[in-house]
Amino acid sequence: MAEEVILTQDGFDKLQAELDDLKYVKRKELAARIKLAISYGDLKENSEYHSAKDDQAFMETRIITLEKMLNNAQIVDTTHTSSSTVQVGSNIVLKDIEFGDTLEYQVVGPAEADVVNGKISYESPLGKVLIGKAIGDTINVDAPMGIIRYELLDIKGW
């Protein structure tokens, strides 16, 4: 049985768009690159050809990976969930108790995690302790530099 991939609808749509771009745009562009490189002759010492073939292998691997992820996707249904506790798909506001900083994240599946853009995986150390927490709860995260304490200020709507 294939491993289930938890995604928000937004995450699913982005992966589908990436897959479509790779299959219907990038493949054609890469085929043209390979054809041009072949026209240079002597494939044995043709760096353009070898580079294009390497890019093609990488792209085909990514296509297979995306297809498997999308075929095994479990999209989080946010229409029938409570916003009283943190769940996958929740948008949350945290306050760092030590420094007073306010942080906003969306809790997502590992496939769409992107900390720079405010998306943390429910499998991350912070994500694991957030699941099931309610507004006002204190969250303790075990980090390499020690325990980091947060207060859950808000669980925003979907």
Side-chain angles (χ1 to χ4, degrees):
M1 185 169 158
E3 186 175 328
E4 187 175 71
V5 178
I6 307 287
L7 295 170
T8 63
Q9 185 63 54
D10 183 51
F12 181 89
D13 294 344
K14 286 180 181 175
L15 292 177
Q16 185 64 58
E18 179 185 353
L19 177 62
D20 290 345
D21 183 55
L22 289 173
K23 288 174 75 172
Y24 305 115
V25 177
K26 301 293 186 205
R27 261 187 183 159
K28 289 179 184 175
E29 291 173 357
L30 201 47
R33 253 183 74 200
I34 291 170
K35 185 176 180 179
L36 179 63
I38 289 172
S39 73
Y40 297 151
D42 191 13
L43 298 182
K44 196 162 141 184
E45 294 184 23
N46 186 330
S47 63
E48 290 87 357
Y49 174 78
H50 292 289
S51 174
K53 291 300 280 183
D54 287 345
D55 290 348
Q56 181 183 42
F58 176 78
M59 183 183 66
E60 293 301 327
T61 300
R62 181 66 179 159
I63 287 171
I64 290 168
T65 300
L66 288 171
E67 287 176 337
K68 285 180 183 177
M69 289 172 62
L70 293 170
N71 287 335
N72 297 309
Q74 173 66 40
I75 298 175
V76 177
D77 180 9
T78 59
T79 58
H80 300 292
T81 55
S82 166
S83 62
S84 62
T85 60
V86 176
Q87 303 168 33
V88 175
S90 294
N91 292 297
I92 54 119
V93 180
L94 297 172
K95 179 181 177 184
D96 183 315
I97 293 174
E98 182 179 356
F99 298 106
D101 297 335
T102 302
L103 309 164
E104 292 189 33
Y105 294 112
Q106 181 181 27
V107 181
V108 297
E112 60 183 307
D114 181 359
V115 176
V116 173
N117 289 310
K119 295 181 181 237
I120 59 167
S121 168
Y122 68 87
E123 292 182 345
S124 69
L126 177 57
K128 284 180 184 177
V129 295
L130 278 170
I131 298 295
K133 298 295 185 193
I135 294 172
D137 285 352
T138 299
I139 290 93
N140 296 310
V141 181
D142 192 11
M145 62 184 167
I147 302 292
I148 302 172
R149 296 182 55 205
Y150 298 102
E151 179 185 354
L152 181 56
L153 297 178
D154 195 11
I155 302 171
K156 293 185 177 184
W158 311 99

